[in-house]
Amino acid sequence: MERTRWYKDKVFYQIWPRSFKDGNGDGIGDLLGVYEKLDYLKELGVNGIWFSPIYPSPGADCGYDIADYMDIAPEFGGMEAFRAVLEGAHERGMKVLMDLVVNHTSDEHEWFQKSRQRIDPYTDYYIWRPAKPDGSLPNNWDSNFEGKAWTYDEVRGEYYLHLFAIKQPDLNMDNHLVREEVKKIMRFWLDMGVDGFREDVITYISKKEGLPDDHLFPIYKGMPNYNHGPHIHEYLAEFKADVWDHYDIFTVAEAPLVSPELALKYIAEEGGQIDSMIQFQCECADCLFTDYIPMPFSLVRMKKAFSDWQHKLRGKAWNVLYIENHDHPRIISRYGSEKFWKESGKTLAASYLFLQGTPFIYQGQEIGMLNWKPRSIEAYRDVQSIYNYHHWSPKLTEEQKLRKLWRSSRDSARTPVQWDNSPNAGFTDAETPWMDVNENYHEINVAQQLADPDSILNFYKKAIGLRKSLKSVRYGKYIEHFPLSPTLYCYTRELKCEKLLVLCSYSDKPQNLKVPKGYDLSKGSLVLQNYASPLPGILQPYECRVYLFK
Ligand code: NOJ
């Protein structure tokens, strides 16, 4: 089928369902809640939704541990609620992406239950190994979340591999029967009318033969032996030929540790297997590989990541643009300033919404939600955060450990969306939500921002509207100016006579306004700004301006 590449004109919104909106009053976000908010999303201007997993799951990793791929979890409203949301989204011109999590399943999935009992054909659905002759683990790999990557199963009498939590055994993708199962799952959702997939850690599905020890990579030891593994392109090409090519869909691969050069092997429009890729470099301007190794924020690093991907994919492949998702703390708390909350929230939006690619906005980002700062580990729900807390050096004080979590935990961005200033931020009618709301909901909430023309939310609306109206944003050339400035991000997008100039300050002090050569501000129109009265020659703290030249 001829792919129309409709996704190049979309703006997606990521729903992390447990914390989006509770529609039935049980304290957990659900699809009834999503249905209620479809008009809100349409008003915001987004025209696509990516659902983090909504399948039946024991919830060891908030749904990324799937127990049944062809159903919707009862706590989210079941299949009937999903069909209503899908139809409601389509009626409003919104596409729907599902999360495809096939590197691993839940240990409660029927396949795993049968595999551990060696019931065929499931015996080799997972990666089982005996201990080494000296009784040690099959290899030295670490899991991403909970210590070593191997856990012994009493029933089978062998170890199974899990690159994530203990309850997330890795599938054996080298088994063609497993690949057939994956195809069945994909066809099931596509035949129902779903518009594509975000593919969870898809670059991990092919492990190096022999599962060798790793002596190179200190973080998540083993990664070079399973990320971008030997058969990865072959398996993806098989999925494409057998399934994706038969539908007009959008496929997005999540790819830790990928460079633009390597990405092209997956997503080049000529010869690639997937449409686009979620890279991690844009999330590493204040850390080394992971949020748990923090560093001071560097604007130059952020700009370099943005520009590299803009330049190297241009004309060859399509970018996914994002600054937040459910796996990283909130962006204003990281790259912006909680003190200049409103200004920096808008500057961050302008920094990425006019780049070439398909933008994704994570729930709550559009109102500038901030990191959560709970006073006790009991409040945390994320498996990785809880494991880390309990395994940090006993020399750290309680206060130090909590501060580390505020700065690094995924839960910092997973608190319920703050809809209004009623109890529990209007997220639920239940007395106790499944996860505490951020105490700042009286100041930061949707209702208040809908009513305030100067809010972050209304800035997002304007920016999305502007983006949609300008051809230069989809097609124009990207040029970065003053790349070495530690406090100014300045870029232009140029398409014939239409030119867009974006100026974003990342300083909490006023700075001189620098304008790229050939641009005369008096000849352009100021089409978006975050200060009512911009000063001549000066950018105020976290000021942003977007000028249009025709
Ligand atoms: C990446 C997902 O985004 C994350 O939330 C999840 O924990 C892991 N993959 C494992 O599925």
Side-chain angles (χ1 to χ4, degrees):
M1 173 186 280
E2 178 68 42
R3 308 281 281 269
T4 56
R5 310 213 180 270
W6 48 261
Y7 54 83
K8 293 189 176 179
D9 292 314
K10 298 289 175 197
V11 177
F12 275 87
Y13 187 91
Q14 182 194 350
I15 292 188
W16 196 76
R18 293 186 89 76
S19 285
F20 183 67
K21 172 78 177 115
D22 175 17
N24 70 352
D26 65 356
I28 303 172
D30 53 36
L31 291 165
L32 200 60
V34 173
Y35 193 86
E36 272 174 41
K37 296 297 177 188
L38 286 177
D39 286 330
Y40 164 76
L41 296 179
K42 189 172 161 65
E43 281 274 289
L44 176 60
V46 298
N47 39 23
I49 299 174
W50 151 32
F51 280 105
S52 275
I54 44 183
Y55 318 96
S57 158
D61 183 19
C62 290
Y64 281 89
D65 49 320
I66 298 171
D68 181 352
Y69 287 92
M70 301 207 203
D71 204 352
I72 298 289
E75 71 265 30
F76 294 142
M79 201 54 106
E80 203 182 319
F82 179 69
R83 284 182 197 272
V85 165
L86 184 62
E87 203 180 303
H90 284 165
E91 276 165 13
R92 290 167 180 78
M94 290 182 217
K95 301 282 189 181
V96 172
L97 303 185
M98 294 295 264
D99 217 309
L100 183 79
V101 188
V102 292
N103 175 67
H104 44 267
T105 69
S106 162
D107 64 345
E108 296 182 29
H109 195 291
E110 191 193 338
W111 300 339
F112 188 78
Q113 291 306 321
K114 293 194 167 149
S115 192
R116 67 202 296 222
Q117 297 173 62
R118 298 176 199 256
I119 298 177
D120 276 339
Y122 303 101
T123 310
D124 294 326
Y125 266 40
Y126 294 84
I127 301 176
W128 295 100
R129 291 290 181 277
K132 282 189 178 158
D134 66 0
S136 60
L137 297 177
N139 70 22
N140 71 351
W141 298 0
D142 290 333
S143 80
N144 285 252
F145 292 165
E146 292 187 286
K148 288 289 162 197
W150 296 95
T151 291
Y152 186 73
D153 182 58
E154 294 286 347
V155 176
R156 172 130 170 174
E158 282 189 312
Y159 287 90
Y160 64 88
L161 178 73
H162 55 88
L163 296 179
F164 292 91
I166 292 168
K167 283 180 69 63
Q168 288 171 299
D170 277 50
L171 281 165
N172 174 15
M173 206 57 76
D174 296 334
N175 181 342
H176 74 100
L177 294 177
V178 172
R179 300 202 297 281
E180 290 309 319
E181 298 277 12
V182 172
K183 291 178 209 169
K184 258 191 245 163
I185 295 164
M186 296 192 291
R187 289 191 194 106
F188 175 82
W189 293 105
L190 295 175
D191 288 340
M192 195 182 296
V194 158
D195 304 291
F197 300 107
R198 174 269 188 191
E199 299 167 1
D200 191 67
V201 288
I202 198 75
T203 56
Y204 287 10
I205 60 174
S206 165
K207 281 79 176 168
K208 216 177 251 177
E209 225 156 277
L211 311 178
D213 275 348
D214 174 34
H215 300 291
L216 293 174
F217 205 71
I219 305 163
Y220 306 137
K221 198 186 282 165
M223 210 178 193
N225 294 322
Y226 58 78
N227 199 15
H228 314 293
H231 300 286
I232 181 71
H233 296 290
E234 182 188 321
Y235 296 160
L236 294 176
E238 183 181 322
F239 294 153
K240 178 175 187 293
D242 291 356
V243 184
W244 302 333
D245 276 351
H246 302 271
Y247 301 84
D248 186 16
I249 54 168
F250 182 29
T251 53
V252 183
E254 189 202 21
L257 280 194
V258 72
S259 62
E261 290 79 4
L262 186 53
L264 287 172
K265 298 205 165 121
Y266 292 87
I267 60 170
E269 288 181 5
E270 294 299 324
Q273 307 97 57
I274 296 194
D275 294 321
S276 200
M277 192 155 247
I278 300 173
Q279 43 93 1
F280 281 50
Q281 284 153 0
C282 63
E283 289 298 319
C284 291
D286 68 347
C287 62
L288 192 67
F289 297 125
T290 134
D291 295 299
Y292 283 95
I293 310 182
M295 301 191 316
F297 169 65
S298 154
L299 178 67
V300 172
R301 250 168 100 95
M302 183 193 95
K303 294 191 295 186
K304 184 165 179 339
F306 284 11
S307 297
D308 250 17
W309 284 82
Q310 289 293 298
H311 291 309
K312 294 183 178 160
L313 263 50
R314 181 158 179 82
K316 298 183 186 145
W318 195 246
N319 271 292
V320 155
L321 311 169
Y322 78 104
I323 50 175
E324 281 199 13
N325 67 28
H326 64 296
D327 285 334
H328 305 280
R330 292 285 181 185
I331 202 70
I332 297 179
S333 305
R334 297 174 55 197
Y335 292 6
S337 156
E338 292 192 1
K339 179 167 165 221
F340 290 97
W341 162 70
K342 196 191 266 190
E343 293 80 4
S344 68
K346 294 176 182 177
T347 264
L348 279 156
S351 297
Y352 89 109
L353 283 176
F354 300 103
L355 299 175
Q356 188 175 50
T358 298
F360 281 65
I361 296 168
Y362 173 60
Q363 63 187 38
Q365 177 189 328
E366 77 278 20
I367 55 166
M369 280 178 66
L370 298 175
N371 277 357
W372 181 51
K373 293 168 184 151
R375 297 296 329 167
S376 153
I377 185 65
E378 298 305 316
Y380 282 84
R381 298 285 174 268
D382 166 37
V383 56
Q384 182 189 35
S385 312
I386 296 168
Y387 180 91
N388 286 346
Y389 171 91
H390 290 295
H391 290 81
W392 278 327
S393 157
K395 288 190 194 130
L396 291 180
T397 64
E398 182 62 14
E399 182 70 20
Q400 285 169 325
K401 286 198 247 180
L402 288 175
R403 282 184 182 278
K404 265 164 90 80
L405 283 180
W406 298 347
R407 168 71 174 74
S408 307
S409 166
R410 309 191 292 178
D411 275 352
S412 295
R414 292 179 171 187
T415 51
V417 172
Q418 297 160 202
W419 293 103
D420 56 40
N421 66 5
S422 66
N424 290 321
F427 162 70
T428 179
D429 292 336
E431 211 166 292
T432 319
W434 82 282
M435 182 180 192
D436 295 345
V437 297
N438 192 319
E439 283 166 11
N440 65 16
Y441 72 85
H442 294 286
E443 296 82 54
I444 302 179
N445 64 66
V446 170
Q448 184 272 333
Q449 293 198 27
L450 281 172
D452 171 8
D454 185 42
S455 64
I456 298 181
L457 178 60
N458 278 310
F459 185 91
Y460 266 89
K461 270 195 205 178
K462 277 185 224 150
I464 294 169
L466 186 60
R467 184 188 158 90
K468 286 184 185 162
S469 71
L470 295 171
K471 281 214 159 56
S472 53
V473 177
R474 172 164 169 177
Y475 299 103
K477 189 167 168 201
Y478 167 88
I479 304 167
E480 187 193 342
H481 307 273
F482 319 116
L484 297 180
S485 166
T487 51
L488 175 67
Y489 183 28
C490 171
Y491 63 95
T492 46
R493 302 296 314 278
E494 301 182 354
L495 183 77
K496 296 183 190 147
C497 300
E498 187 181 283
K499 292 186 177 162
L500 201 66
L501 165 66
V502 182
L503 289 155
C504 297
S505 164
Y506 279 77
S507 172
D508 54 7
K509 302 191 181 56
Q511 61 176 311
N512 287 337
L513 172 62
K514 289 203 263 184
V515 180
K517 266 198 200 113
Y519 279 83
D520 174 356
L521 296 188
S522 68
K523 300 223 167 86
S525 358
L526 184 55
V527 286
L528 192 67
Q529 67 207 82
N530 64 350
Y531 276 78
S533 320
L535 303 173
I538 299 249
L539 278 181
Q540 300 175 69
Y542 291 96
E543 180 169 355
C544 67
R545 300 187 200 174
V546 180
Y547 289 90
L548 179 62
F549 299 81
K550 285 215 175 196

